[in-house]
Amino acid sequence: MFLSRPFIRNLPNSRSYSDFVKVVEVGPRDGLQNEKKIIPTPVKVDFINRLSETGLQVIEATSFVSPKWVPQMYDSAEVFKQIKKVKGVNYPVLIPNAKGLEKAIEVGAKEIAIFSSPSESFSKKNTNCTLSENMERMKEIICLAKKSDLTIRGYISCIIGCPYEGSMKPAVVAALASALLDLGCYEVSLGDTIGVGTPKKVKSLLSEMREVDDLSKFALHFHDTYGQAIGNTYTGLDEGIRIFDSSVSGLGGCPYAAGATGNVATEDLLYFLHEQGLQTGVDLNKMVQVGHFISNQLEKKNQSKVGNALLTKETLKKVCV
């Protein structure tokens, strides 16, 4: 399997990092997938269109999975067809198999995301196949995607810990990331799915990742189950990561990871990054408005501390327009 190959490469040793951070918004997919209240298609379209006006460069729009397993994604094709595609914004979609890829190509998707995990148990729960079987499935998807000139992003779940197997070994995660890059992923997002990461653990993992490739190839995807997401983000920044996934209003969770809460809130991430003097190109005030909009639609409390702190009567009026 992927662990049999060497993955150490000759890399530059530089601590000169960019002041620009790319924020990948995953709210419409990772954020909504675990919500029990089914959101109507027009609301999802409006949600994504609002996000498109904030300055984001990447918005993960939906997932072409079976609605039997993820009911919220029942309308993925209609959502993708109806959203306004803003110039300069990418709208990747998550793909579990060749059938999902076929549907994505039919609606004109330009970028896909594929996913794996270093945990055998999580793989069986999440993809209904073993790690080896999932690797073969990804190879098939990537081969077909390349024929259609699609760009491919990779996801690795449970990079720190798994709800079934406990702690994950950094070397195993690194080997899997190396395999995804070799298969053709331009970028690999490293996901702390159950939110058990700490700065020490994140630093240890990134030390292994540096042996795989330049850290510019990797994103960090933190869930905030234990309130460690911003601290972990700081560690990632200090190590050189400049791509972070987040979900507006702190939406999220995983159907196959009991107890896992939402992603780090995009509003909280933006406030932190901007106060550190870093650039994102994203308007925080507009993002706050979107966070309150989708929270109202879901009839649930906004999980973003910054979003709630910046809430004003004027903001509420704009949300309700």
Side-chain angles (χ1 to χ4, degrees):
M1 207 178 71
F2 57 86
L3 295 180
S4 62
R5 65 177 300 283
F7 56 84
I8 296 177
R9 306 174 187 181
N10 295 320
L11 305 171
N13 183 18
S14 173
R15 298 286 292 184
S16 179
Y17 302 133
S18 170
D19 287 335
F20 182 82
V21 176
K22 183 172 75 172
V23 175
V24 178
E25 174 60 50
V26 299
R29 194 279 302 176
D30 197 6
L32 293 182
Q33 69 177 4
N34 210 40
E35 293 292 332
K36 293 182 179 179
K37 179 182 178 180
I38 301 300
I39 303 301
T41 303
V43 174
K44 292 178 183 175
V45 171
D46 190 11
F47 177 34
I48 297 172
N49 287 346
R50 288 173 184 245
L51 287 170
S52 295
E53 298 301 323
T54 63
L56 287 162
Q57 292 183 353
V58 186
I59 302 169
E60 192 176 56
T62 189
S63 175
F64 285 85
V65 296
S66 169
K68 175 183 177 181
W69 303 112
V70 187
Q72 190 68 254
M73 299 291 112
Y74 75 98
D75 56 351
S76 53
E78 285 304 310
V79 168
F80 194 87
K81 286 190 291 186
Q82 292 181 33
I83 58 174
K84 179 182 178 182
K85 312 298 192 304
V86 174
K87 185 177 181 181
V89 181
N90 293 332
Y91 300 90
V93 296
L94 193 71
I95 300 296
N97 50 43
K99 185 176 180 180
L101 176 61
E102 182 180 337
K103 293 180 179 179
I105 292 173
E106 286 177 359
V107 298
K110 303 298 182 184
E111 180 175 328
I112 65 167
I114 59 174
F115 53 95
S116 187
S117 167
S119 164
E120 190 77 51
S121 300
F122 189 83
S123 179
K124 290 177 180 177
K125 289 280 187 179
N126 196 28
T127 63
N128 198 33
C129 64
T130 66
L131 289 177
S132 295
E133 290 168 342
N134 188 53
M135 181 61 69
E136 292 304 312
R137 182 182 294 180
M138 288 192 294
K139 288 179 180 179
E140 178 187 11
I141 294 172
I142 290 174
C143 181
L144 294 172
K146 286 180 176 179
K147 290 180 180 179
S148 296
D149 295 322
L150 302 183
T151 52
I152 306 149
R153 190 183 201 230
Y155 274 107
I156 300 179
S157 302
C158 302
I159 59 167
I160 303 294
C162 166
Y164 311 106
E165 296 183 9
S167 298
M168 295 287 100
K169 295 181 179 179
V172 177
V173 177
L176 178 54
S178 181
L180 291 177
L181 290 174
D182 283 351
L183 285 174
C185 294
Y186 75 92
E187 182 175 288
V188 176
S189 175
L190 307 170
D192 181 15
T193 309
I194 58 175
V196 294
T198 60
K200 182 178 180 180
K201 292 177 181 178
V202 171
K203 187 171 183 177
S204 176
L205 173 64
L206 294 180
S207 178
E208 289 285 348
M209 303 309 300
R210 194 173 275 108
E211 298 299 318
V212 173
D213 210 317
D214 189 273
L215 291 185
S216 63
K217 296 286 184 70
F218 303 111
L220 288 175
H221 180 117
F222 293 123
H223 285 245
D224 206 27
T225 312
Y226 290 86
Q228 302 298 301
I230 291 296
N232 291 337
T233 297
Y234 187 92
T235 298
L237 285 171
D238 191 52
E239 292 296 312
I241 297 291
R242 288 297 182 269
I243 311 166
F244 293 90
D245 298 355
S246 61
S247 181
V248 66
S249 186
L251 297 174
C254 178
Y256 306 102
T261 61
N263 299 71
V264 61
T266 305
E267 303 95 312
D268 297 358
L269 177 65
L270 291 174
Y271 181 84
F272 169 72
L273 293 173
H274 294 170
E275 289 299 309
Q276 290 295 115
L278 297 165
Q279 306 298 315
T280 65
V282 184
D283 188 314
L284 174 58
N285 290 324
K286 289 184 178 180
M287 189 62 69
V288 167
Q289 294 174 32
V290 179
H292 285 292
F293 163 78
I294 193 60
S295 295
N296 289 338
Q297 296 296 325
L298 290 167
E299 299 178 330
K300 64 183 298 182
K301 183 180 178 181
N302 190 328
Q303 296 302 307
S304 165
K305 292 181 173 61
V306 170
N308 288 318
L310 295 180
L311 179 62
T312 63
K313 291 182 180 179
E314 182 180 354
T315 302
L316 275 177
K317 289 178 181 178
K318 292 178 180 178
V319 170
C320 298
V321 170

